[in-house]
Amino acid sequence: MERPLTLAAFNGHLYSDPRVKVVTEDARAYAGRSKGRFDIIYSLSSNTFAALASGSFALAENYLFTTEAFRDYWNALNPNGFMVMEHQFYMPRVVSSLRDALRGAGVTDPAQHFAVYDLPKLRRNLVLISRQPLTEEIRQNAFGPLTPERWPDLHLLYPADEKVKDNLIARIVRDGWQAAAPTAPLNVAPTTDDRPFVGQLGLWRNVTRESFKNIRMIEVNGFPLAKLMIVTILGIVLVLLLPLNLVPYLRPGPKLRALPWLYFFTIGAAFMILEVVLIQKYTLFVGPSTYSIATILLVLLVASGIGSRLAPRFGDWPPFVAIAGWLLADRLLFGTLVRTGSGLPMAARIALTAALVAPLGFFMGMPFPKATLRVGELVDWGFAVNGTASVLGSTGILLVAFAWGFNAALAIGAALYLLAGLLLSARSRWASASATQSISESADQLPLP
């Protein structure tokens, strides 16, 4: 009886070949520091669609398909190198990003340096990228001869065969994504490191009465399922939770005045905005999102705890100014950090991230205890308002990141903290009917033991 072929044998014992070096690392970081090294770069299904059915996959950042990523891949190829990337759904956005990347790299005629193929039976597209202008011979034979008999299995989308000359990808290459976008069934805008949500393929204009009768309401068909999920969550919080924070105004007893109520709401939204955005943004530098989540959460929570303990030692304004200043520095220096630090080992990248984020967390821990000292027994109400705002902030900011990017989202967080600083500085408007108010305000002036 013939022995079954093992996977190792099927692949020609590839991993046992002394010429093969296996590197387990973030592909983007590895390519970024490997300038001019590779004859061939091949990307095969480089991400998972485990959460695709629910639409939640579109919420995840992905730095493998951004304009800056393609610039890194381009620079990693040697002068005669090739790159092949395949994907089931993203190819229109991939082509938009690739086109912008090559223009940004100074390529005179980007369209001469790539070709796009359709594999209908496999439901996949392939893009072939070449450092040298592609010849017709290479286009026609790169994946086997493009004969009429092979049309059902493999054919060109760009340069387009006559049968599909007006396909979406050909229009993007020929006219630019801006010209193709108004009639495209899905989002074809290029993704960037500041807005890396390549899975965000849905468009609001596709939300129609007829679309709800169609069972194919998923992002890859252009239906904005992820955005609709976010809006639904926001609606539930606004209708059910937010009114509960106003109920105490209808009952007798001490009450938060409008200004401290708004203050607790503002810092709750701002804290979660920064936390969510930094987790996603620093994934580019740290690497796997699991490590980015663990690093940012741990550092922010520990540092903010220390900041809370030391809050009375600082005046009203310094924490808010420090937060805004840190975010401005991050906006100006983050790109340089990624470029210069991508070659560091992961442990070093995590340590550097922790060192950079800790000062921010330290000052983010101060606003809440400062208000607590003023409102006394009404702090429970402040907690409730803060918690509701946290849900709204962490959810709603995703819509901002999808549309305008991480820097815009962080700018909103900074603006909210500066607004909170203004609210805190208006001491005369914090007076409460609480019996413990005077005691709480005097405690704000006591030195720490």
Side-chain angles (χ1 to χ4, degrees):
M1 183 176 177
E2 185 177 351
R3 295 180 61 188
L5 190 64
T6 65
L7 188 60
F10 178 82
N11 286 301
H13 297 278
L14 182 66
Y15 291 100
S16 302
D17 192 313
R19 297 169 297 176
V20 173
K21 177 184 178 182
V22 179
V23 178
T24 304
E25 190 180 334
D26 179 74
R28 172 75 185 279
Y30 189 67
R33 67 172 190 271
S34 303
K35 299 185 183 303
R37 289 186 56 186
F38 301 110
D39 297 322
I40 297 175
I41 297 176
Y42 183 60
S43 173
L44 172 66
S45 294
S46 299
N47 56 346
T48 174
F49 293 100
L52 183 64
S54 67
S56 58
F57 184 81
L59 302 172
E61 73 290 334
N62 191 313
Y63 293 100
L64 295 177
F65 303 98
T66 66
T67 299
E68 293 87 345
F70 280 105
R71 201 172 302 161
D72 287 341
Y73 305 148
W74 178 262
N75 292 331
L77 293 171
N78 65 36
N80 295 305
F82 292 90
M83 178 176 180
V84 177
M85 176 178 281
E86 66 83 34
H87 208 276
Q88 300 96 314
F89 309 116
Y90 297 165
M91 198 52 66
R93 299 196 83 171
V94 164
V95 170
S96 297
S97 299
L98 172 61
R99 190 172 179 269
D100 281 7
L102 296 188
R103 287 185 182 278
V107 178
T108 305
D109 189 358
Q112 294 300 313
H113 290 264
F114 64 88
V116 183
Y117 300 81
D118 188 24
L119 287 74
K121 291 184 178 179
L122 297 178
R123 298 181 181 179
R124 274 166 163 68
N125 297 145
L126 284 171
V127 59
L128 171 66
I129 307 167
S130 172
R131 287 284 299 195
Q132 299 297 323
L134 284 170
T135 64
E136 187 62 20
E137 181 182 2
I138 291 177
R139 290 194 188 98
Q140 293 294 323
N141 296 280
F143 303 102
L146 297 181
T147 60
E149 296 79 17
R150 296 192 67 204
W151 170 269
D153 300 303
L154 179 69
H155 56 264
L156 277 165
L157 293 176
Y158 177 80
D161 187 278
E162 186 65 25
K163 297 179 183 178
V164 290
K165 64 179 180 179
D166 289 323
N167 74 80
L168 178 57
I169 289 173
R171 285 188 283 125
I172 290 172
V173 179
R174 182 181 66 237
D175 305 322
W177 71 267
Q178 296 93 334
T183 57
L186 43 77
N187 192 349
V188 297
T191 56
T192 65
D193 285 350
D194 187 47
R195 194 163 53 91
F197 299 94
V198 68
Q200 273 285 319
L201 298 172
L203 298 168
W204 281 117
R205 66 170 181 254
N206 292 335
V207 180
T208 63
R209 182 177 299 179
E210 290 299 317
S211 67
F212 285 95
K213 299 177 183 178
N214 189 339
I215 62 172
R216 293 174 61 81
M217 294 188 300
I218 55 177
E219 291 282 344
V220 297
N221 289 332
F223 187 85
L225 183 58
K227 295 188 185 78
L228 206 57
M229 291 168 56
I230 292 173
V231 170
T232 301
I233 294 171
L234 292 175
I236 292 172
V237 174
L238 290 172
V239 172
L240 297 181
L241 296 185
L242 191 60
L244 293 177
N245 290 287
L246 302 175
V247 168
Y249 286 117
L250 305 177
R251 302 172 61 185
K255 295 176 176 61
L256 278 178
R257 296 190 66 181
L259 188 142
W261 192 99
L262 182 59
Y263 176 85
F264 280 113
F265 187 92
T266 301
I267 62 173
F271 190 101
M272 290 306 298
I273 285 172
L274 298 192
E275 182 179 286
V276 168
V277 174
L278 289 175
I279 287 172
Q280 294 184 307
K281 184 175 181 178
Y282 272 80
T283 298
L284 174 61
F285 180 62
V286 174
S289 58
T290 303
Y291 295 101
S292 174
I293 293 171
T295 301
I296 298 297
L297 283 181
L298 176 64
V299 173
L300 284 183
L301 292 176
V302 172
S304 63
I306 298 172
S308 296
R309 179 66 181 86
L310 300 178
R313 296 187 178 183
F314 290 79
D316 287 348
W317 271 107
F320 303 100
V321 174
I323 291 170
W326 188 97
L327 293 173
L328 177 61
D330 179 80
R331 169 69 177 88
L332 298 175
L333 301 177
F334 180 76
T336 302
L337 171 68
V338 172
R339 287 191 296 272
T340 58
S342 61
L344 296 172
M346 181 178 292
R349 298 199 302 272
I350 290 175
L352 182 56
T353 298
L356 290 172
V357 174
L360 176 67
F362 176 77
F363 289 107
M364 285 171 63
M366 295 183 181
F368 193 93
K370 280 185 168 294
T372 299
L373 291 173
R374 295 191 187 183
V375 299
E377 66 184 20
L378 295 176
V379 66
D380 290 346
W381 193 351
F383 267 115
V385 175
N386 188 271
T388 300
S390 296
V391 177
L392 289 172
S394 61
T395 307
I397 200 62
L398 290 175
L399 295 176
V400 176
F402 294 161
W404 299 291
F406 291 146
N407 288 327
L410 291 177
I412 289 176
L416 287 176
Y417 268 115
L418 291 176
L419 172 61
L422 287 172
L423 297 174
L424 187 68
S425 63
R427 286 177 172 264
S428 62
R429 302 183 63 184
W430 279 70
S432 169
S434 170
T436 61
Q437 180 65 29
S438 59
I439 298 176
S440 299
E441 291 215 358
S442 63
D444 194 14
Q445 310 301 322
L446 294 177
L448 287 174

PDB file of all heavy atoms in Angstrom, residues 36-52:
ATOM      1  N   GLY A  36      15.979  46.601  -0.750  1.00  0.00           N
ATOM      2  CA  GLY A  36      16.719  46.065  -1.890  1.00  0.00           C
ATOM      3  C   GLY A  36      17.171  44.636  -1.752  1.00  0.00           C
ATOM      4  O   GLY A  36      18.114  44.219  -2.430  1.00  0.00           O
ATOM      5  N   ARG A  37      16.513  43.805  -0.913  1.00  0.00           N
ATOM      6  CA  ARG A  37      17.041  42.476  -0.623  1.00  0.00           C
ATOM      7  C   ARG A  37      16.401  41.353  -1.415  1.00  0.00           C
ATOM      8  O   ARG A  37      17.017  40.309  -1.595  1.00  0.00           O
ATOM      9  CB  ARG A  37      16.873  42.174   0.873  1.00  0.00           C
ATOM     10  CG  ARG A  37      17.781  42.976   1.771  1.00  0.00           C
ATOM     11  CD  ARG A  37      17.661  42.503   3.203  1.00  0.00           C
ATOM     12  NE  ARG A  37      17.936  41.073   3.341  1.00  0.00           N
ATOM     13  CZ  ARG A  37      17.799  40.381   4.457  1.00  0.00           C
ATOM     14  NH1 ARG A  37      17.371  40.989   5.545  1.00  0.00           N
ATOM     15  NH2 ARG A  37      18.068  39.092   4.513  1.00  0.00           N
ATOM     16  N   PHE A  38      15.179  41.515  -1.884  1.00  0.00           N
ATOM     17  CA  PHE A  38      14.423  40.355  -2.339  1.00  0.00           C
ATOM     18  C   PHE A  38      14.193  40.327  -3.851  1.00  0.00           C
ATOM     19  O   PHE A  38      13.889  41.342  -4.463  1.00  0.00           O
ATOM     20  CB  PHE A  38      13.065  40.295  -1.630  1.00  0.00           C
ATOM     21  CG  PHE A  38      13.178  40.202  -0.140  1.00  0.00           C
ATOM     22  CD1 PHE A  38      12.819  41.274   0.660  1.00  0.00           C
ATOM     23  CD2 PHE A  38      13.662  39.052   0.466  1.00  0.00           C
ATOM     24  CE1 PHE A  38      12.934  41.201   2.037  1.00  0.00           C
ATOM     25  CE2 PHE A  38      13.786  38.971   1.842  1.00  0.00           C
ATOM     26  CZ  PHE A  38      13.422  40.047   2.628  1.00  0.00           C
ATOM     27  N   ASP A  39      14.328  39.113  -4.390  1.00  0.00           N
ATOM     28  CA  ASP A  39      13.950  38.888  -5.787  1.00  0.00           C
ATOM     29  C   ASP A  39      12.429  38.776  -5.900  1.00  0.00           C
ATOM     30  O   ASP A  39      11.843  39.254  -6.876  1.00  0.00           O
ATOM     31  CB  ASP A  39      14.578  37.588  -6.320  1.00  0.00           C
ATOM     32  CG  ASP A  39      16.091  37.631  -6.339  1.00  0.00           C
ATOM     33  OD1 ASP A  39      16.639  38.695  -6.656  1.00  0.00           O
ATOM     34  OD2 ASP A  39      16.719  36.608  -6.028  1.00  0.00           O
ATOM     35  N   ILE A  40      11.828  38.114  -4.938  1.00  0.00           N
ATOM     36  CA  ILE A  40      10.383  37.867  -4.971  1.00  0.00           C
ATOM     37  C   ILE A  40       9.801  38.057  -3.575  1.00  0.00           C
ATOM     38  O   ILE A  40      10.351  37.569  -2.588  1.00  0.00           O
ATOM     39  CB  ILE A  40      10.059  36.438  -5.467  1.00  0.00           C
ATOM     40  CG1 ILE A  40      10.530  36.246  -6.902  1.00  0.00           C
ATOM     41  CG2 ILE A  40       8.555  36.170  -5.374  1.00  0.00           C
ATOM     42  CD1 ILE A  40      10.359  34.825  -7.404  1.00  0.00           C
ATOM     43  N   ILE A  41       8.694  38.746  -3.492  1.00  0.00           N
ATOM     44  CA  ILE A  41       7.885  38.831  -2.277  1.00  0.00           C
ATOM     45  C   ILE A  41       6.509  38.281  -2.637  1.00  0.00           C
ATOM     46  O   ILE A  41       5.895  38.723  -3.614  1.00  0.00           O
ATOM     47  CB  ILE A  41       7.759  40.272  -1.766  1.00  0.00           C
ATOM     48  CG1 ILE A  41       9.128  40.832  -1.373  1.00  0.00           C
ATOM     49  CG2 ILE A  41       6.806  40.344  -0.568  1.00  0.00           C
ATOM     50  CD1 ILE A  41       9.100  42.286  -0.957  1.00  0.00           C
ATOM     51  N   TYR A  42       6.042  37.331  -1.864  1.00  0.00           N
ATOM     52  CA  TYR A  42       4.747  36.710  -2.161  1.00  0.00           C
ATOM     53  C   TYR A  42       3.857  36.779  -0.931  1.00  0.00           C
ATOM     54  O   TYR A  42       4.246  36.328   0.145  1.00  0.00           O
ATOM     55  CB  TYR A  42       4.944  35.248  -2.590  1.00  0.00           C
ATOM     56  CG  TYR A  42       3.663  34.555  -2.990  1.00  0.00           C
ATOM     57  CD1 TYR A  42       2.902  35.026  -4.043  1.00  0.00           C
ATOM     58  CD2 TYR A  42       3.218  33.429  -2.315  1.00  0.00           C
ATOM     59  CE1 TYR A  42       1.734  34.393  -4.429  1.00  0.00           C
ATOM     60  CE2 TYR A  42       2.041  32.784  -2.681  1.00  0.00           C
ATOM     61  CZ  TYR A  42       1.308  33.281  -3.745  1.00  0.00           C
ATOM     62  OH  TYR A  42       0.140  32.666  -4.112  1.00  0.00           O
ATOM     63  N   SER A  43       2.696  37.357  -1.074  1.00  0.00           N
ATOM     64  CA  SER A  43       1.746  37.495   0.022  1.00  0.00           C
ATOM     65  C   SER A  43       0.495  36.696  -0.304  1.00  0.00           C
ATOM     66  O   SER A  43      -0.236  37.027  -1.246  1.00  0.00           O
ATOM     67  CB  SER A  43       1.389  38.970   0.244  1.00  0.00           C
ATOM     68  OG  SER A  43       0.349  39.097   1.195  1.00  0.00           O
ATOM     69  N   LEU A  44       0.244  35.654   0.467  1.00  0.00           N
ATOM     70  CA  LEU A  44      -0.895  34.762   0.229  1.00  0.00           C
ATOM     71  C   LEU A  44      -1.853  34.832   1.420  1.00  0.00           C
ATOM     72  O   LEU A  44      -1.492  34.431   2.520  1.00  0.00           O
ATOM     73  CB  LEU A  44      -0.424  33.318   0.027  1.00  0.00           C
ATOM     74  CG  LEU A  44      -1.511  32.251  -0.049  1.00  0.00           C
ATOM     75  CD1 LEU A  44      -2.368  32.445  -1.289  1.00  0.00           C
ATOM     76  CD2 LEU A  44      -0.895  30.851  -0.051  1.00  0.00           C
ATOM     77  N   SER A  45      -3.045  35.361   1.201  1.00  0.00           N
ATOM     78  CA  SER A  45      -4.079  35.421   2.250  1.00  0.00           C
ATOM     79  C   SER A  45      -3.468  35.820   3.589  1.00  0.00           C
ATOM     80  O   SER A  45      -3.488  35.055   4.549  1.00  0.00           O
ATOM     81  CB  SER A  45      -4.789  34.074   2.362  1.00  0.00           C
ATOM     82  OG  SER A  45      -5.511  33.795   1.190  1.00  0.00           O
ATOM     83  N   SER A  46      -2.960  37.016   3.643  1.00  0.00           N
ATOM     84  CA  SER A  46      -2.170  37.448   4.799  1.00  0.00           C
ATOM     85  C   SER A  46      -2.989  37.869   5.998  1.00  0.00           C
ATOM     86  O   SER A  46      -2.449  38.407   6.954  1.00  0.00           O
ATOM     87  CB  SER A  46      -1.249  38.607   4.384  1.00  0.00           C
ATOM     88  OG  SER A  46      -0.360  38.187   3.376  1.00  0.00           O
ATOM     89  N   ASN A  47      -4.287  37.651   5.962  1.00  0.00           N
ATOM     90  CA  ASN A  47      -5.104  37.942   7.139  1.00  0.00           C
ATOM     91  C   ASN A  47      -6.261  36.961   7.199  1.00  0.00           C
ATOM     92  O   ASN A  47      -6.519  36.224   6.262  1.00  0.00           O
ATOM     93  CB  ASN A  47      -5.614  39.395   7.122  1.00  0.00           C
ATOM     94  CG  ASN A  47      -6.393  39.699   5.857  1.00  0.00           C
ATOM     95  OD1 ASN A  47      -6.350  38.954   4.896  1.00  0.00           O
ATOM     96  ND2 ASN A  47      -7.091  40.808   5.850  1.00  0.00           N
ATOM     97  N   THR A  48      -6.941  36.955   8.334  1.00  0.00           N
ATOM     98  CA  THR A  48      -8.013  35.997   8.567  1.00  0.00           C
ATOM     99  C   THR A  48      -9.365  36.683   8.515  1.00  0.00           C
ATOM    100  O   THR A  48      -9.491  37.866   8.809  1.00  0.00           O
ATOM    101  CB  THR A  48      -7.861  35.313   9.937  1.00  0.00           C
ATOM    102  OG1 THR A  48      -9.007  34.496  10.161  1.00  0.00           O
ATOM    103  CG2 THR A  48      -7.752  36.320  11.056  1.00  0.00           C
ATOM    104  N   PHE A  49     -10.391  35.925   8.130  1.00  0.00           N
ATOM    105  CA  PHE A  49     -11.747  36.464   8.068  1.00  0.00           C
ATOM    106  C   PHE A  49     -12.640  35.791   9.100  1.00  0.00           C
ATOM    107  O   PHE A  49     -13.817  35.574   8.889  1.00  0.00           O
ATOM    108  CB  PHE A  49     -12.327  36.249   6.667  1.00  0.00           C
ATOM    109  CG  PHE A  49     -11.609  37.054   5.629  1.00  0.00           C
ATOM    110  CD1 PHE A  49     -10.646  36.459   4.830  1.00  0.00           C
ATOM    111  CD2 PHE A  49     -11.866  38.398   5.481  1.00  0.00           C
ATOM    112  CE1 PHE A  49      -9.966  37.211   3.878  1.00  0.00           C
ATOM    113  CE2 PHE A  49     -11.189  39.148   4.531  1.00  0.00           C
ATOM    114  CZ  PHE A  49     -10.235  38.555   3.723  1.00  0.00           C
ATOM    115  N   ALA A  50     -12.054  35.457  10.249  1.00  0.00           N
ATOM    116  CA  ALA A  50     -12.813  34.746  11.276  1.00  0.00           C
ATOM    117  C   ALA A  50     -14.034  35.522  11.739  1.00  0.00           C
ATOM    118  O   ALA A  50     -15.054  34.949  12.088  1.00  0.00           O
ATOM    119  CB  ALA A  50     -11.904  34.437  12.468  1.00  0.00           C
ATOM    120  N   ALA A  51     -13.921  36.854  11.756  1.00  0.00           N
ATOM    121  CA  ALA A  51     -15.036  37.670  12.248  1.00  0.00           C
ATOM    122  C   ALA A  51     -15.796  38.351  11.118  1.00  0.00           C
ATOM    123  O   ALA A  51     -16.575  39.261  11.344  1.00  0.00           O
ATOM    124  CB  ALA A  51     -14.510  38.736  13.214  1.00  0.00           C
ATOM    125  N   LEU A  52     -15.580  37.901   9.887  1.00  0.00           N
ATOM    126  CA  LEU A  52     -16.133  38.598   8.737  1.00  0.00           C
ATOM    127  C   LEU A  52     -17.648  38.585   8.716  1.00  0.00           C
ATOM    128  O   LEU A  52     -18.293  39.578   8.402  1.00  0.00           O
ATOM    129  CB  LEU A  52     -15.596  37.967   7.445  1.00  0.00           C
ATOM    130  CG  LEU A  52     -16.043  38.644   6.149  1.00  0.00           C
ATOM    131  CD1 LEU A  52     -15.512  40.052   6.086  1.00  0.00           C
ATOM    132  CD2 LEU A  52     -15.567  37.844   4.950  1.00  0.00           C
TER     133      LEU A  52
END
